[in-house]
Amino acid sequence: MTESATPPHKTPTPSYEAPDLPTRLPDLVLRELTAQDADAYYALLDRNREHLSRLGDYQSESRATPEWVREHLDEDPGGLRYGIRLGGRLIGRVDLIAVDPPRYGTGYWLDEAHVGAGHATAACAALYGYAARALGATDIYAGVTRGNDRSVALLARLGFEPVAEFADYTRFHLGLGER
């Protein structure tokens, strides 16, 4: 299915095949993360347990078992779930969560060994651009746990602005407009 097959303001159904999304970086591509990726995703999670739970984020992932990963990737993600791949190797994940289309939430994380090279920024930019063009997305929201300065910097590079403060995190917003 091509990206034009999903009408604006509609979330893909579970049978929707999300297209691969190139990024501005050579060899960095987003490919739908599915149950077929369970072994590679588990290995990535296993290498990053401390990294994922350092700030209290991604607790389920930091405690993942192979069975949990298979079940998790077999569930409908309620939006788009992409693996971030560098040279074909899975190095992270970025999601677009259909909270209230055309408004979406997002979550992302990157293998600790690949932090600081612009991979997460490029991956998020590719996904949010696709969301605006193909899904008619108008807004993206992200929550960032206090102390996660790298994530705050990533969102700032993409044009997000803080819009609400909560006890444990800050909510950020990106208006997509013309992208």
Side-chain angles (χ1 to χ4, degrees), residues 15 27 33 38 40 42 62 95 104 107 131 145 150 153 171:
S15 62
D27 293 329
L33 193 58
Y42 176 76
S62 70
D95 295 356
Y104 291 82
T145 302
R150 286 184 180 265
R171 180 177 295 147

Side-chain angles (χ1 to χ4, degrees), residues 1 7 28 30-31 41-42 44 52 54 56 60 66 74 76-77 87 93 98-99 104 113 118 120 135 139 166 169:
M1 194 178 272
L28 188 73
L30 303 183
R31 184 168 301 126
Y41 190 59
Y42 176 76
L44 181 64
L52 288 170
R54 182 175 58 88
S60 296
D74 203 32
D76 176 4
R93 173 177 172 171
V99 176
Y104 291 82
L135 303 178
D139 301 271
F166 299 93
Y169 70 97

Side-chain angles (χ1 to χ4, degrees), residues 23-173:
T23 71
R24 63 175 174 75
L25 297 177
D27 293 329
L28 188 73
V29 175
L30 303 183
R31 184 168 301 126
E32 188 174 21
L33 193 58
T34 69
Q36 294 174 339
D37 299 306
D39 291 340
Y41 190 59
Y42 176 76
L44 181 64
L45 289 170
D46 199 38
R47 285 193 308 273
N48 284 277
R49 289 182 190 279
E50 185 177 324
H51 174 60
L52 288 170
S53 62
R54 182 175 58 88
L55 296 169
D57 300 311
Y58 294 101
Q59 290 299 311
S60 296
E61 285 82 354
S62 70
R63 295 186 301 267
T65 64
E67 295 77 23
W68 181 89
V69 168
R70 280 190 290 283
E71 289 173 13
H72 175 68
L73 293 181
D74 203 32
E75 295 171 353
D76 176 4
L80 297 174
R81 178 175 51 215
Y82 274 101
I84 303 169
R85 298 168 195 274
L86 181 61
R89 183 174 179 199
L90 187 61
I91 65 164
R93 173 177 172 171
V94 59
D95 295 356
L96 188 68
I97 303 143
V99 176
D100 184 23
R103 292 168 294 281
Y104 291 82
T106 192
Y108 48 83
W109 69 271
L110 201 60
D111 182 351
E112 188 172 26
H114 293 278
V115 169
H119 298 124
T121 302
C124 289
L127 180 56
Y128 306 155
Y130 171 76
R133 290 186 313 275
L135 303 178
T138 59
D139 301 271
I140 308 285
Y141 291 91
V144 179
T145 302
R146 297 212 188 289
N148 191 345
D149 298 334
R150 286 184 180 265
S151 191
V152 170
L154 179 152
L155 294 175
R157 284 191 296 276
L158 293 170
F160 280 78
E161 295 183 6
V163 293
E165 296 288 333
F166 299 93
D168 297 330
Y169 70 97
T170 302
R171 180 177 295 147
F172 290 83
H173 170 255

